Amino acid sequence: MSDSTAPTDDVWTVQRILQWTADFLQQKEVESPRLEAELMLAHARNCQRIRLYTDFETPLADDERARMRDFVKRRAGREPLAYITGRKEFYGRDFAVGSGVLVPRPETETLIDVCLEHIPPDQAVKVCEVGFGSGCIAVTLAKQCSRVSVDATDVSSHAMSFATQNVANHEVGQQVTLFEGDGFGPLPREPAGRFDGIVSNPPYIREDEMAMLMPEVAVHEPREALVSGADGLVLVRRLVSEAVDWLTEDGWMVLELDPAQCERVVELFRAAGFAKTAIHQDLSGNDRVVSAERS
Ligand code: GLN
């Protein structure tokens, strides 16, 4: 029998591979199997997702199939989709991400909104960020406010490499300066009390909580970006107590937290001498962000 009579079922068309992948990812308990199959195939074919629908009957080229096979295998091992596609959208912009940095989360957009409430438009404002990760917070603040400058730190060299890329991609190198090191440690000490605001999405998960998280987070994302001691607040306590040395007299600080930690962190801020505090909800209605002002 000649090749031309080979049953079309043997041909891996776009439609067929999408169906197969969606079924396979469903068995592996991936949350949105069809959507993720489409996003991976679009990435493997280097095309827009919408294009898959006009190419339904098109067979995949060998290199596209090889790339797709690799992506599906990784996703079945519960590697985050964002590490496979190498990008994640945050606050309407695209960020390069990969193994070694925390994938930007939608709830962190609330952290941005609360910072923006504290930043007067058209004023030169100096912000410090601890734990920049992919750089999504520092870059977003710089993009939203052209007169904001951000000095940001992170202990991770992976974070440094992704954030450097994102600062360059979004052309905010004039506004954002990245320092590698722990907490406020790598920042120049002088002049003291120079920041108008401090922002952080610190590690805040309790050690005993790690085992309960999805494998995407627990196995694949960087532990130092997630966990902070038995109650999840080891780094937060340190940042709150050191913050006053870095802030202006009417400076502010904004932290992302677990909903169950917010009340406790309000108390920490009060004990550290902050005058005004507030708890803010994320888009799912959970307490997520605590803000505090010195006066
Ligand atoms: N909200 C994140 C998560 O669930 C935690 C991020 C963090 O610790 N800053 O996985």
Side-chain angles (χ1 to χ4, degrees):
M1 217 183 277
S2 77
D3 272 0
S4 61
T5 60
T8 48
D9 263 8
D10 280 354
V11 178
W12 284 98
T13 60
V14 164
Q15 181 172 31
R16 188 161 167 239
I17 202 153
L18 280 180
Q19 187 61 50
W20 186 92
T21 305
D23 291 345
F24 181 68
L25 293 181
Q26 181 146 39
Q27 285 165 30
K28 298 287 173 188
E29 296 176 2
V30 166
E31 213 167 282
S32 311
R34 173 71 191 199
L35 173 64
E36 296 207 9
E38 291 183 9
L39 292 168
M40 282 190 281
L41 188 56
H43 185 54
R45 301 182 76 226
N46 201 13
C47 72
Q48 300 276 342
R49 195 174 132 218
I50 187 84
R51 179 73 191 274
L52 301 175
Y53 282 83
T54 56
D55 289 354
F56 246 14
E57 305 304 330
T58 310
L60 295 194
D62 288 347
D63 60 330
E64 296 171 346
R65 246 177 89 179
R67 278 200 292 275
M68 186 62 176
R69 199 179 301 127
D70 171 56
F71 296 165
V72 172
K73 207 159 104 193
R74 288 165 63 188
R75 192 66 190 98
R78 303 294 292 272
E79 187 173 333
L81 177 68
Y83 285 179
I84 295 169
T85 60
R87 42 204 351 101
K88 181 72 184 181
E89 196 244 42
F90 180 80
Y91 220 86
R93 296 185 184 87
D94 209 42
F95 287 86
V97 295
S99 184
V101 286
L102 193 76
V103 177
R105 313 279 208 260
E107 58 267 31
T108 303
E109 298 190 345
T110 302
L111 188 69
I112 299 288
D113 289 335
V114 176
C115 287
L116 296 178
E117 286 170 21
H118 285 84
I119 298 174
D122 306 324
Q123 269 185 40
V125 170
K126 277 192 177 32
V127 175
C128 166
E129 186 198 0
V130 176
F132 56 69
S134 64
C136 67
I137 296 169
V139 168
T140 301
L141 291 177
K143 292 303 277 188
Q144 296 301 114
C145 312
S146 60
R147 300 206 55 206
V148 161
S149 64
V150 187
D151 285 355
T153 75
D154 201 297
V155 274
S156 156
S157 59
H158 297 284
M160 180 54 94
S161 111
F162 281 102
T164 301
Q165 210 177 312
N166 286 316
V167 165
N169 290 349
H170 291 289
E171 300 175 329
V172 286
Q174 300 285 343
Q175 287 169 270
V176 178
T177 311
L178 303 173
F179 299 84
E180 192 172 323
D182 189 25
F184 299 107
L187 298 171
R189 298 294 308 179
E190 300 296 326
R194 67 184 179 275
F195 292 113
D196 300 290
I198 295 172
V199 58
S200 182
N201 172 18
Y204 55 71
I205 293 175
R206 298 190 315 263
E207 258 151 23
D208 69 302
E209 259 181 309
M210 271 306 270
M212 294 181 266
L213 300 177
M214 301 186 306
E216 280 85 347
V217 182
V219 179
H220 293 279
E221 289 195 286
R223 191 180 161 85
E224 75 259 33
L226 292 164
V227 189
S228 194
D231 66 352
L233 289 174
V234 171
L235 180 61
V236 167
R237 268 190 296 272
R238 212 181 95 203
L239 295 181
V240 170
S241 71
E242 291 176 13
V244 280
D245 296 341
W246 298 93
L247 285 172
T248 60
E249 271 167 26
D250 56 356
W252 47 268
M253 182 159 175
V254 180
L255 295 175
E256 177 179 323
L257 297 160
D258 184 88
Q261 296 168 332
C262 290
E263 295 284 358
R264 176 87 191 88
V265 173
V266 162
E267 286 166 28
L268 291 177
F269 273 122
R270 296 217 176 111
F274 284 80
K276 288 185 235 161
T277 56
I279 297 177
H280 311 259
Q281 281 82 41
D282 63 20
L283 291 175
S284 314
N286 297 313
D287 289 351
R288 181 61 65 190
V289 171
V290 171
S291 63
E293 294 170 38
R294 290 189 72 194
S295 62

